[in-house]
Amino acid sequence: LLGTLSVRLSTIDSPSIDRSPWKEIDYLMISKSYFENGYRFLYPEIDWPAQEPRYTAMEFPLVPYTAALSYGIFGYSAFSARLLPAIAWLITALYAFLLGRRECGRLPGLVACLTAAVLPLHHPFGRLLFSEPVVIALSIAAVFHFARWHAVGLRRDLLITLATFSLAIALKLTPLYLLLPLSWVALRSRLPQRDDGGVSLPPTFSALTSTARCIVPLTLAALILPIAWYTWAWHLANEF
């Protein structure tokens, strides 16, 4: 991890050579506006020519806002702008190990961590200012903590699951697919265990209903933040 992190940090200010930089340019504009206009989280603003106020309806602006906060610490630079994606990549690799070790053993966990760390080193999702690196890190964290909550029962893991799942959906709606692995984690904990460590299928009706009673409240709670933010984004789009 330290070796691959050093490689990523050494190339953190390298420009992208594909067609994806337009998204980073938008995020850079929004983060710079936050930095220069008082960190008003609810009012993400672009700086291309438009009638003021230039507020923009967008996904939950956690990424550009965090980049703006880093400008206040490290100054406005490629390093401070791209620090969050680098941290998100590191968290992804660590949780790949934790989840892999939990589900398959230590060696598969190490392989998962190595794969997440080095394939590929030059990929823009580990370097450019996108939401995707953070979404991936949050998604893996949500699955891991949900699985550990079912095994250990710590309320902290449930709260982390709720927070990471909710933030992932607020950043991008696509992480709703996490309902599939989360539902499986909840279901398997309610199935009889076989001698070989597996679970007995097919599931009973009571196991399915118990799983639904677990997943539905979690999903509804996780949707509060995305619904609230996208309602506000709709207001920005129509009022400004």
Side-chain angles (χ1 to χ4, degrees), residues 1-60:
L1 285 178
L2 292 177
T4 53
L5 180 61
S6 65
V7 173
R8 291 181 183 272
L9 291 179
S10 66
T11 60
I12 199 169
D13 59 349
S14 300
S16 179
I17 58 175
D18 61 17
R19 291 179 291 179
S20 59
W22 69 268
K23 186 66 173 179
E24 186 181 37
I25 291 172
D26 283 351
Y27 272 33
L28 287 171
M29 286 193 296
I30 295 167
S31 63
K32 188 177 181 182
S33 295
Y34 274 136
F35 177 58
E36 294 177 344
N37 299 325
Y39 300 100
R40 297 190 300 166
F41 185 83
L42 295 178
Y43 296 93
E45 188 174 354
I46 47 89
D47 61 2
W48 59 58
Q51 183 178 357
E52 294 186 0
R54 296 186 291 264
Y55 302 138
T56 180
M58 61 176 295
E59 62 267 19
F60 192 66

Side-chain angles (χ1 to χ4, degrees), residues 174-188:
T174 48
L176 284 170
Y177 77 88
L178 289 173
L179 288 173
L180 294 175
L182 293 177
S183 296
W184 167 245
V185 169
L187 177 61
R188 73 178 182 182

Side-chain angles (χ1 to χ4, degrees), residues 166-238:
S166 182
L167 282 172
I169 300 171
L171 289 170
K172 295 285 183 182
L173 292 178
T174 48
L176 284 170
Y177 77 88
L178 289 173
L179 288 173
L180 294 175
L182 293 177
S183 296
W184 167 245
V185 169
L187 177 61
R188 73 178 182 182
S189 68
R190 292 161 170 79
L191 297 177
Q193 299 291 315
R194 301 198 307 259
D195 293 337
D196 60 0
V199 294
S200 298
L201 294 173
T204 62
F205 179 75
S206 62
L208 292 174
T209 55
S210 178
T211 299
R213 288 196 297 269
C214 174
I215 292 297
V216 171
L218 175 68
T219 304
L220 294 177
L223 286 174
I224 293 174
L225 175 61
I227 291 175
W229 175 258
Y230 285 111
T231 301
W232 174 252
W234 177 86
H235 168 74
L236 289 179
N238 286 273

Side-chain angles (χ1 to χ4, degrees), residues 63 70 90 94 106 136 144 148 152 174 207:
V63 173
S70 70
L90 184 62
L94 289 174
R106 185 175 182 83
I136 294 171
F144 169 76
R148 194 167 71 173
V152 180
T174 48

